[in-house]
Amino acid sequence: MPKYVLLLFIILVLSCQDKQNSFVTTSEAHLDDEVLYEMASTYLFALPHTAADEAHPITDDLVKLGKELYFEKAISLDKTVSCNTCHPLDNYGVDNKPLSEGVGGAKGARNSPSTYNAALHLAQFWDGRAKDVEAQVEGPLLNPDEMAMLSKEAVVQRLKQLPKYKTLFAEAYPKNTQITYPKIAQAIGAFERSLMTPSRLDDYLEGDLSSLSIQEKQGLKKMLDFGCIPCHSGSTMGGVMYQKFGLFDEYQRFTKSENYDAGKMLVTELPGDKDVFKVPSLRNVTQTAPYFHDGSVENLEDAVQIMANLQLGRTLSEQDIKDIVAFLGVSADWRGDSESGFLNLDKQMTEK
Ligand code: HEC
Ligand code: HEC
């Protein structure tokens, strides 16, 4: 695009010539825009249409079965809890409680992260103990604090009692129609791989620089300048690495967490993994309060300040926080035209 390059060059020359001229000021703003976009797009990417990959292909029939299973309460001990109970899809995939309640009101030790976009993370759970969404499914089904089923066989038996699954499994697995546990995990995983939330942020990252307001751009710029984005990076603004929570101080002093949680060290038993957690995705974060692994912080403004204190050793001004929160809201402004077709189904996403 030589014309485009030439234009950029002219703007550059003009803006170098006279900084007082008002025409040049607009051009400068435009130039800053290009620079900001360049910087942002080295770390952040638009979401893919789905999180399917070679090892985990998805079909419409698998997604349909997985969706049914996601809302299925019959696969919890007392038939009252489904995946959607703690990860409601009509509420950004979270229940907005510090700690979720499973069968019989049992509480676990951690806050429910969203299932939207989660399939893209490098691993699942706050400590990454499940390698992908398929492996993750076993956790909640058999966890006594969640769906509390006693065995994999019991889960399969419950589904065999419901005639609709005979059809759904036959459609999703025409060659071998048996209901099995690995297929349940694969189908729920396939459904989760379709749960993407393309938004105004993706319009921007795909090159429509007019899709962010000036304040939102300020927020993005500040997150880049302060150094938030190297940790919260990739298409999900997080979920791509593990980091210590509290590089400059003990996290509990700031979050006022009631219980101490050593994070990844609980899984690996390595001292170097003390207080290490998966960096969470910031997609939709304005809607997913409360914050941190134990839901100990209620509002986003406080969470952002705590991040600056604990991870960057600095204190942000009120204006900085406002701008950052404005930028973080952009990803919750869903586009609703996902090619996976899923966002168009949101009317059906309410619990049955
Ligand atoms: C009782 C509430 C509850 C139920 C029911 C539940 N979950 Fe979760 N889910 C959680 C909590 C809490 C975590 C975080 C646990 C941790 O990291 O140690 C979690 C984590 C996850 C994650 C990891 C996301 C990430 O960012 O790492 C996925 C994916 C997920 N759940 C999917 C499901 C699916 C699928 C089902 C149904 C089979 C389900 N959950 C049922 C509470 C629940
Ligand atoms: C060194 C890496 C690192 C840096 C830098 C960093 N974060 Fe984080 N962030 C994390 C980790 C790790 C967590 C999870 C902590 C926990 O809950 O255990 C987190 C959590 C968060 C959360 C809570 C998300 C949720 O769903 O609970 C927000 C919001 C956040 N960060 C925003 C920011 C902002 C804004 C900045 C810059 C001011 C920033 N982070 C800088 C690593 C980082």
Side-chain angles (χ1 to χ4, degrees):
M1 280 183 286
K3 253 190 204 160
Y4 175 72
V5 174
L6 183 69
L7 185 70
L8 256 185
F9 179 72
I10 294 172
I11 291 166
L12 193 73
V13 170
L14 281 177
S15 63
C16 292
Q17 277 174 349
D18 182 3
K19 293 202 180 284
Q20 308 305 308
N21 184 308
S22 69
F23 166 72
V24 174
T25 311
T26 3
S27 309
E28 258 186 343
H30 179 70
L31 186 69
D32 282 349
D33 241 17
E34 296 282 338
V35 171
L36 177 63
Y37 177 70
E38 194 105 318
M39 258 169 56
S41 51
T42 56
Y43 293 103
L44 302 174
F45 318 108
L47 287 170
H49 297 308
T50 73
D53 59 31
E54 250 171 61
H56 307 94
I58 66 178
T59 63
D60 288 349
D61 287 327
L62 253 187
V63 170
K64 191 172 149 202
L65 168 60
K67 183 181 174 199
E68 206 66 29
L69 291 167
Y70 188 95
F71 287 90
E72 187 55 74
K73 292 178 177 170
I75 48 176
S76 64
L77 188 64
D78 63 358
K79 304 189 181 179
T80 61
V81 176
S82 74
C83 308
N84 197 60
T85 306
C86 302
H87 306 285
L89 295 182
D90 60 355
N91 191 46
Y92 296 88
V94 298
D95 56 12
N96 293 128
K97 295 176 186 166
L99 306 173
S100 309
E101 283 165 33
V103 164
K107 278 189 189 173
R110 293 194 181 143
N111 176 256
S112 302
S114 178
T115 40
Y116 281 111
N117 312 308
L120 295 167
H121 298 177
L122 86 165
Q124 301 299 310
F125 292 121
W126 284 96
D127 49 23
R129 66 188 183 278
K131 75 173 186 340
D132 55 28
V133 279
E134 288 76 15
Q136 190 281 333
V137 168
E138 256 178 62
L141 284 170
L142 304 180
N143 184 333
D145 293 332
E146 298 184 356
M147 296 162 86
M149 292 296 287
L150 301 176
S151 68
K152 297 179 182 180
E153 295 70 44
V155 177
V156 172
Q157 280 314 316
R158 287 276 178 93
L159 293 180
K160 283 187 175 164
Q161 287 160 10
L162 297 167
K164 71 176 171 190
Y165 285 107
K166 198 166 188 246
T167 321
L168 287 166
F169 274 87
E171 282 166 0
Y173 296 97
K175 290 200 188 108
N176 176 353
T177 63
Q178 279 274 52
I179 299 181
T180 68
Y181 199 76
K183 285 180 189 167
I184 296 170
Q186 187 186 32
I188 296 179
F191 174 60
E192 288 176 291
R193 285 174 191 275
S194 77
L195 294 178
M196 302 291 118
T197 65
S199 65
R200 203 148 53 76
L201 177 64
D202 300 275
D203 294 340
Y204 178 78
L205 294 171
E206 281 163 2
D208 176 4
L209 304 196
S210 67
S211 57
L212 298 195
S213 72
I214 292 177
Q215 186 182 26
E216 290 159 355
K217 283 177 186 166
Q218 281 297 339
L220 170 59
K221 185 168 186 314
K222 286 177 181 177
M223 285 189 70
L224 283 159
D225 290 349
F226 298 155
C228 312
I229 297 289
C231 283
H232 294 280
S233 62
S235 64
T236 44
M237 288 200 283
V240 299
M241 66 176 86
Y242 301 98
Q243 287 287 336
K244 183 173 173 180
F245 185 25
L247 292 173
F248 285 81
D249 209 326
E250 302 269 322
Y251 77 77
Q252 252 186 307
R253 289 191 45 209
F254 288 71
T255 60
K256 311 275 186 267
S257 296
E258 279 173 28
N259 296 306
Y260 171 67
D261 182 333
K264 203 166 163 46
M265 190 174 87
L266 297 174
V267 183
T268 64
E269 294 180 8
L270 299 170
D273 284 340
K274 186 173 171 324
D275 301 348
V276 169
F277 292 87
K278 185 176 74 183
V279 176
S281 165
L282 299 183
R283 287 258 174 189
N284 303 311
V285 74
T286 50
Q287 311 298 320
T288 60
Y291 300 103
F292 299 123
H293 62 264
D294 54 359
S296 51
V297 173
E298 234 168 87
N299 75 64
L300 187 54
E301 287 75 12
D302 293 345
V304 167
Q305 186 67 281
I306 289 172
M307 269 287 123
N309 294 159
L310 282 177
Q311 307 302 87
L312 301 165
R314 67 185 296 158
T315 300
L316 304 182
S317 71
E318 242 171 72
Q319 191 59 47
D320 293 340
I321 293 177
K322 271 193 196 144
D323 293 346
I324 288 174
V325 168
F327 169 66
L328 290 174
V330 176
S331 72
D333 196 356
W334 292 3
R335 208 153 64 181
D337 65 343
S338 165
E339 289 199 3
S340 71
F342 192 74
L343 293 177
N344 297 324
L345 297 180
D346 59 0
K347 291 285 175 298
Q348 297 167 40
M349 278 195 240
T350 37
E351 185 125 17
K352 289 174 214 160

